[in-house]
Amino acid sequence: MTARRQFIQQSAAAASALAFPLVGGAQPRSIKVGILHPVTGALAYSGQQCREGALLAIEDINKAGIKSLGGARLEVLLGDAQSAPQIGAAEIEKMNEAGCAAVVGAFASAICLATTQAAAKYNLPHVVDVGVADQIVERGLKNTFRFGPGYRTCAQVAVANLHVLNTAAGKPARSVMIIHEESLFGTGTANLLSRELPGYGYDVKEVVRHANPTRDFNNIVLRMKSVNPDIVIPANYYNEYALLVRTMQQQKVLPKAIYSVLGGAASSYKFLKEFPEAANGIIDCNHWFNPKDKRSAELKKRIEAKGLFFSYEVFMAYTAVRLLADAIDRAKSSDRAAINDALEKSTFADHFMPYGPTRFVNGQNQGAQPLMTQVIKGDIRVIVPRDYREAEPIFPLRA
Amino acid sequence: MIRDLAGIAVFVLALAALTLALDSGVWLNFVMMTLYAALLAQAWNMLGGFGGQFSFGHALFFGTGAYAQAVAQLQGGWNPWAALVLAVALAAAVGLFVGALSFRYGLKGSYFALVTLAFAEVARILAVSVGFTGGGVGLMLPLREGVANLQFGSRKGFIVLIGGFVVAALLVTAWLRHSRFGARLQAVRDNEDAARAIGVDPWRTKLGAIGLSAAFMGAAGAFYVQVFQYIDPGIAYGAHVSVEALVGAIVGGMGTLWGPLLGAAVLHLLAETTRNLFGQLPGINMVIYGALLVLIVMFLPRGIAGLGVSVREAWKGRRDER
Amino acid sequence: MLEFGILFPSVLNGLTTGAVYALVALGLTLIYGVLHIINFAHGASLMLAMYGVYLLKTRLGIDPYLALPIVVAAMFALGYALQRVIINRASHGRDENILLVTLGLSIVMENLALIFFKSDTRSIETAYTLTTVAIGPANIALAKLVAFAGALAASALLIWIVARTHLGRAIRAVAREKQGARLMGIDVDHVYAMSFGIGLACLGAAACFLLPAYYVNPQVGGGFVLVAFTIVVLGGMGSFAGALLGGLLIGVVESLGGLFLGESLGQIGIFLIFIGVLLFRPQGLFGARA
């Protein structure tokens, strides 16, 4: 059973900090780990999915505990960043004071920027579970580690693979229209794509930026009709992505390919279930698990048994926690500096992500990569790279 | 006035003692964020409480200050202290602009509130669309600790900074309570036509108020950037900043010296204590917060600082009828 | 971009989207335009109504359009109760307090929804979700055309209520001179509550027309609040016809703005109009009161 601790008052937190044995040599029976996500506010859905994934990982780890520490269990301290960076930072202060050995979080890039910085003050190890903005790992913070890829890697992989697919099909596609949401992730991704695509010979005819939330996509689809791009590249969150694709379906606009980069609903079981026709054929370059590793299927079953969807937030957070547990095991201690050191030198390979053995440089896992998936015959299948391929890509969707 | 100044002096001493005594990161952060919320409320109070002009878009001035602080350093290579001066000045200028337009065309009450909201939204949309603000990506200040760089390793340094702003705001508020200008402002608030009849120029008076109010919001924005080192259009011009400013001031007691500080402290404490009360069920803390807000308004219609006034009046057998 | 094949559908889209905005604004016209209550909880109330429509469809299989009478009645009751029991009592008649109370209510509503419905976005699938009607070069979603008709009907109904019924006369009296109305024997508290109820009932109707073409999650209301206020002021405080026309106008402005300036920057058109109207023509299009 997972031990879940709740914060009651700051005084209690401070008291427990005093009570926590940090004397060298003492073997702790339990190690406090902070799990921090925006579980209320605008990002509530993603935050809650992340939390679920993290908690499942803790459950699995605690079956045997941390071996090198005599089976010590991980004790969870849950934090709510309330979809605001300053609240995330405040929660870090509490976690620090409560004696957390490390923190995993905080999903959103803007929040991660604040939380990693706050954690750095105390050299508190902070594993970033999603947070794709590259700035997160470019500030020289020695306590910040991101297991998954940033959006620069995702954009580069996406463009390179688009070229591979296009070339293999005889280069039927040339013109591109990018549709992105206006904040950090969408704009950053779109900027990178606009820069990379022309280098491969693609014509970026239009870049459309939209607000969060956008109530109606009819205008954007109208422009799409008039621009008539071969490829539509959306980079936005679930709601807008779903609305966009549904509107395209309604207006009978079908480009040669819908090619998402970090698309909010593109490789989403939820979207697939709710709008199977609209989802059909969509290609996504996104966080994905290794489909050949049975453990991913097992986790999927467990999450679905809870009535939840197996979204990227779940497995990203799950594997981030397992990375941390592995580091604690190697460090053979709950001392923060030791854990930071273990993370930096980590070669963690016992995971179901397509990253190979871990290797951190400046806090970024070098092996991290997104996978290309496509919705084929009602299921999400990996198409690129070949090592993980589950089905032949269908490109273009129409001649 | 002497009483107010004495009170402020006591506050400064208490704050200093508290800051020196505290060692916990959690408590220091709490004090810092409370002072920050207090500054927002104090700024709003100058225009809303004393001037009677309710603004729903105070984030406009906050965001302007924040972006000025960030852009001056990143694009202009300015020293952060110099950028701070620019932030305050620019925010005040924007305040004067909005005020000049709105008051010139006689906007009052809810119309004024809504126009400020609209201006804030326009600013947010522009910030997303323009290049030098970094657009949707936002701006990030590089980490470089040092007093000269206005970045402090410990929260204590930031508490001194925000404390300074709060004290300045307290002094200005005290001045509003006792000066000729303040009297004119309150006259305009209570009855604009009557004030005009006795020779007060409502337009200039209100303009002065909004300028002051905006300047302090700009300071708050610059402060935010220095502490959290990241700003984007949503954080800068979003409604939550405007709401935080007005809620603190109204709950604490509009038009009073200590009201905004009290309101901000109470609300902040409320938010902190409810946040992790029921960690298993996200959202329930906000339900409690919202419910308590309604209850506070129900039982303390004049705000917390107004409690003393209400009690006195009830004692004297007078009823506030509307 | 300027070709008819693009402009015409864009304008039609704007009209249909604007019709939904108008529905949301109609309720606010009464609450804000007539009673001068700045209702921060308007968006959250719309959200609750939409969840109601969602539940009726998914649990009881009732089509959103058929659910109209149920949702409208339920929202009316909710509005009446909220105003009578909470808002009236908590605000002590002070404007700034009403503001805070409605703000507190919106926080409570949004987070109750978060607890009960979780944060996922939900949408409904009906037989006509993907149906479009061809009007010239444009393909307009059927759901949106129905919404347009609904907005017209609702405005007409409201105009009739305020102009011809006893309640309507009482509302007008209270809006003009509260103390005087009280002295004439009008139960002011009851009238306020009825008005608030009608206002929320409009949201109920808006929800029925909106959900087939959109989605619902706890934060969905926020995107409509600002636009609703803009329309109320643009139309002229207290004028239902003004709110309808204002809504349509704003819809078209948003649509064309999005077409020419980009979807993100195009939003600016709405607020610039708002500021312009407030500064230069505060009585709005239909000058109900200066």
Side-chain angles (χ1 to χ4, degrees), chain A residues 7 51 91 97 117 182 209, chain B residues 24-25 129 136 229 275-276 279:
Chain A
F7 287 98
R51 186 185 266 195
E91 293 287 88
E97 213 129 297
Q117 203 168 291
E182 67 185 6
R209 183 185 64 224
Chain B
S24 146
S129 318
Q229 294 169 324
R275 178 150 72 244
N276 287 299

Side-chain angles (χ1 to χ4, degrees), chain B residues 18-312:
Chain B
L18 190 65
T19 311
L20 286 171
L22 279 178
D23 220 13
S24 146
V26 173
W27 281 112
L28 282 172
N29 195 53
F30 179 81
V31 170
M32 184 189 79
M33 291 308 288
T34 303
L35 287 172
Y36 162 79
L39 183 62
L40 295 177
Q42 285 175 301
W44 192 92
N45 189 34
M46 289 176 197
L47 182 63
F50 286 91
Q53 310 300 314
F54 290 11
S55 150
F56 284 2
H58 250 50
L60 172 66
F61 315 126
F62 175 89
T64 303
Y67 270 114
Q69 183 75 10
V71 172
Q73 287 181 68
L74 288 170
Q75 253 84 303
W78 283 37
N79 173 274
W81 290 96
L84 186 58
V85 175
L86 176 69
V88 171
L90 258 182
V94 169
L96 289 173
F97 171 74
V98 170
L101 263 183
S102 315
F103 301 139
R104 160 79 181 75
Y105 287 96
L107 287 183
K108 284 189 205 112
S110 53
Y111 287 136
F112 176 72
L114 290 174
V115 90
T116 54
L117 188 55
F119 270 115
E121 258 304 290
V122 169
R124 194 191 63 78
I125 295 171
L126 284 176
V128 170
S129 318
V130 171
F132 70 85
T133 57
V137 177
L139 293 172
M140 201 176 82
L141 278 188
L143 202 53
R144 235 182 288 133
E145 263 178 49
V147 180
N149 211 34
L150 212 52
Q151 288 181 30
F152 305 99
S154 146
R155 286 299 193 236
K156 293 198 187 191
F158 282 120
I159 290 180
V160 171
L161 180 63
I162 190 75
F165 289 138
V166 168
V167 169
L170 281 172
L171 290 170
V172 169
T173 311
W175 176 73
L176 283 177
R177 268 161 56 86
H178 301 282
S179 66
R180 278 251 183 85
F181 175 78
R184 287 202 291 270
L185 184 62
Q186 292 177 71
V188 168
R189 172 192 70 193
D190 294 333
N191 191 328
E192 190 165 321
D193 294 322
R196 190 180 288 121
I198 59 165
V200 176
D201 182 350
W203 187 80
R204 287 182 74 181
T205 315
K206 286 193 276 191
L207 212 55
I210 199 173
L212 279 173
S213 187
F216 279 102
M217 284 303 277
F223 172 79
Y224 181 93
V225 167
Q226 291 303 127
V227 176
F228 294 102
Q229 294 169 324
Y230 176 74
I231 194 83
D232 74 20
I235 296 173
Y237 294 112
H240 55 96
V241 173
S242 304
V243 170
E244 198 170 348
L246 64 88
V247 161
I250 297 177
V251 167
M254 298 196 302
T256 65
L257 177 63
W258 299 105
L261 213 53
L262 285 171
V266 167
L267 288 174
H268 198 62
L269 188 61
L270 188 62
E272 285 285 314
T273 47
T274 55
R275 178 150 72 244
N276 287 299
L277 215 44
F278 301 97
Q280 304 286 50
L281 213 50
I284 210 168
N285 60 315
M286 290 306 281
V287 172
I288 296 174
Y289 179 88
L292 283 173
L293 186 60
V294 173
L295 288 173
I296 289 176
V297 172
M298 208 187 271
F299 294 109
L300 294 173
R302 289 266 196 81
I304 299 173
L307 187 58
V309 181
S310 308
V311 170
R312 237 179 290 138

Side-chain angles (χ1 to χ4, degrees), chain C residues 146-232:
Chain C
V146 176
F148 187 83
L152 287 174
S155 316
L157 185 61
L158 283 168
I159 292 173
W160 178 82
I161 290 179
V162 170
R164 294 259 185 243
T165 64
H166 184 64
L167 172 67
R169 269 193 293 277
I171 292 176
R172 275 182 283 141
V174 168
R176 184 156 296 172
E177 176 49 68
K178 189 160 51 159
Q179 291 291 51
R182 195 176 271 139
L183 288 172
M184 298 309 298
I186 295 178
D187 183 347
V188 173
D189 289 338
H190 174 71
V191 169
Y192 262 71
M194 290 293 281
S195 305
F196 208 85
I198 296 176
L200 253 52
C202 291
L203 285 179
C208 292
F209 292 118
L210 190 54
L211 196 57
Y214 202 51
Y215 53 77
V216 63
N217 63 34
Q219 290 98 24
V220 81
F224 291 93
V225 179
L226 214 43
V227 180
F229 273 109
T230 305
I231 294 169
V232 171

Side-chain angles (χ1 to χ4, degrees), chain C residues 82-199:
Chain C
L82 276 179
Q83 164 62 19
R84 203 80 204 247
V85 174
I86 300 182
I87 299 177
N88 200 23
R89 230 181 260 167
S91 61
H92 303 273
R94 296 167 71 103
D95 276 347
E96 62 267 19
N97 289 359
I98 296 179
L99 213 141
L100 284 188
V101 170
T102 54
L103 178 65
L105 281 175
S106 77
I107 294 176
V108 171
M109 284 180 194
E110 208 180 283
N111 285 281
L112 278 178
L114 184 63
I115 294 173
F116 284 114
F117 296 106
K118 297 288 154 65
S119 42
D120 357 5
T121 302
R122 296 166 196 251
S123 35
I124 53 173
E125 196 78 24
T126 57
Y128 44 84
T129 303
L130 288 172
T131 320
T132 56
V133 174
I135 303 178
N139 277 327
I140 306 295
L142 181 61
K144 299 188 89 183
L145 283 174
V146 176
F148 187 83
L152 287 174
S155 316
L157 185 61
L158 283 168
I159 292 173
W160 178 82
I161 290 179
V162 170
R164 294 259 185 243
T165 64
H166 184 64
L167 172 67
R169 269 193 293 277
I171 292 176
R172 275 182 283 141
V174 168
R176 184 156 296 172
E177 176 49 68
K178 189 160 51 159
Q179 291 291 51
R182 195 176 271 139
L183 288 172
M184 298 309 298
I186 295 178
D187 183 347
V188 173
D189 289 338
H190 174 71
V191 169
Y192 262 71
M194 290 293 281
S195 305
F196 208 85
I198 296 176

Side-chain angles (χ1 to χ4, degrees), chain A residues 40-42 44-45 48 182 209 215-216 218-220 222-223 226 239-240 243 246 249-251 270 275, chain C residues 6 10 13 21 119 121 123 129 132 139 144 214-215 217 219 223-224 254-255 258-259 262-264 267:
Chain A
T40 56
Y45 181 68
Q48 287 179 16
E182 67 185 6
R209 183 185 64 224
R215 294 173 284 269
D216 184 79
N218 278 298
N219 276 324
I220 293 184
L222 271 176
R223 283 175 95 152
S226 106
N239 297 337
E240 281 66 40
L243 210 52
R246 280 170 73 189
Q249 193 190 7
Q250 208 172 51
Q251 297 291 324
K270 178 175 156 78
F275 307 105
Chain C
I6 303 285
S10 184
N13 271 321
Y21 291 162
S119 42
T121 302
S123 35
T129 303
T132 56
N139 277 327
K144 299 188 89 183
Y214 202 51
Y215 53 77
N217 63 34
Q219 290 98 24
F224 291 93
E254 186 187 53
S255 197
L259 202 58
E263 207 66 27
S264 179
Q267 295 281 304

Side-chain angles (χ1 to χ4, degrees), chain A residues 229-396:
Chain A
D230 296 322
I231 304 172
V232 170
I233 303 186
N236 37 26
Y237 292 112
Y238 184 89
N239 297 337
E240 281 66 40
Y241 193 104
L243 210 52
L244 168 65
V245 176
R246 280 170 73 189
T247 311
M248 284 170 70
Q249 193 190 7
Q250 208 172 51
Q251 297 291 324
K252 302 187 183 46
V253 174
L254 189 61
K256 293 200 173 117
I258 298 180
Y259 193 89
S260 340
V261 181
L262 293 171
S267 48
S268 157
Y269 286 110
K270 178 175 156 78
F271 185 58
L272 184 58
K273 175 155 179 266
E274 293 180 355
F275 307 105
E277 281 139 43
N280 195 35
I282 293 182
I283 299 175
D284 194 17
C285 179
N286 212 330
H287 304 292
W288 202 249
F289 50 84
N290 178 0
K292 305 207 162 129
D293 190 318
K294 287 202 191 54
R295 289 176 291 184
S296 54
E298 276 157 27
L299 188 62
K300 179 163 184 266
K301 269 205 216 83
R302 282 165 74 192
I303 269 286
E304 284 172 352
K306 285 184 164 203
L308 300 170
F309 288 102
F310 192 49
S311 62
Y312 72 92
E313 296 99 340
V314 175
F315 54 77
M316 293 299 282
Y318 182 93
T319 46
V321 172
R322 296 227 70 151
L323 166 75
L324 176 64
D326 174 81
I328 296 177
D329 193 39
R330 281 169 209 241
K332 298 194 185 43
S333 137
S334 61
D335 170 59
R336 290 172 184 177
I339 297 177
N340 274 328
D341 196 56
L343 278 168
E344 204 190 316
K345 302 194 171 94
S346 177
T347 56
F348 179 54
D350 187 27
H351 57 77
F352 58 71
M353 296 304 284
Y355 301 162
T358 307
R359 186 172 72 92
F360 282 110
V361 171
N362 280 334
Q364 173 61 50
N365 180 13
Q366 298 299 296
Q369 58 166 338
L371 290 182
M372 312 286 310
T373 60
Q374 188 170 24
V375 177
I376 300 176
K377 292 209 187 77
D379 199 3
I380 305 175
R381 301 231 162 273
V382 178
I383 50 173
V384 177
R386 278 193 194 276
D387 305 350
Y388 302 102
R389 178 175 286 191
E390 286 179 285
E392 289 298 310
I394 301 176
F395 188 97

Side-chain angles (χ1 to χ4, degrees), chain A residues 103-264:
Chain A
V103 165
V104 177
F107 175 71
S109 294
I111 304 179
C112 288
L113 282 173
T115 55
T116 50
Q117 203 168 291
K121 284 196 315 231
Y122 308 106
N123 209 27
L124 177 63
H126 189 318
V127 176
V128 173
D129 47 15
V130 178
V132 293
D134 292 296
Q135 295 102 315
I136 296 175
V137 289
E138 285 171 356
R139 291 168 298 165
L141 293 179
K142 295 270 180 272
N143 69 318
T144 304
F145 300 92
R146 183 168 65 194
F147 192 47
Y151 63 57
R152 191 184 307 122
T153 306
C154 292
Q156 284 166 347
V157 167
V159 174
N161 284 325
L162 172 62
H163 196 61
V164 165
L165 285 173
N166 200 25
T167 312
K171 293 216 177 99
R174 217 189 98 80
S175 56
V176 171
M177 181 170 172
I178 302 174
I179 301 171
H180 71 93
E181 60 90 29
E182 67 185 6
S183 75
L184 179 54
F185 127 71
T187 312
T189 310
N191 289 343
L192 285 166
L193 287 172
S194 314
R195 252 200 344 249
E196 300 273 317
L197 281 167
Y200 285 81
Y202 293 95
D203 177 22
V204 179
K205 282 193 143 178
E206 192 146 323
V207 180
V208 175
R209 183 185 64 224
H210 68 77
N212 283 330
T214 295
R215 294 173 284 269
D216 184 79
F217 275 91
N218 278 298
N219 276 324
I220 293 184
V221 174
L222 271 176
R223 283 175 95 152
M224 209 185 283
K225 264 193 189 159
S226 106
V227 166
N228 197 21
D230 296 322
I231 304 172
V232 170
I233 303 186
N236 37 26
Y237 292 112
Y238 184 89
N239 297 337
E240 281 66 40
Y241 193 104
L243 210 52
L244 168 65
V245 176
R246 280 170 73 189
T247 311
M248 284 170 70
Q249 193 190 7
Q250 208 172 51
Q251 297 291 324
K252 302 187 183 46
V253 174
L254 189 61
K256 293 200 173 117
I258 298 180
Y259 193 89
S260 340
V261 181
L262 293 171

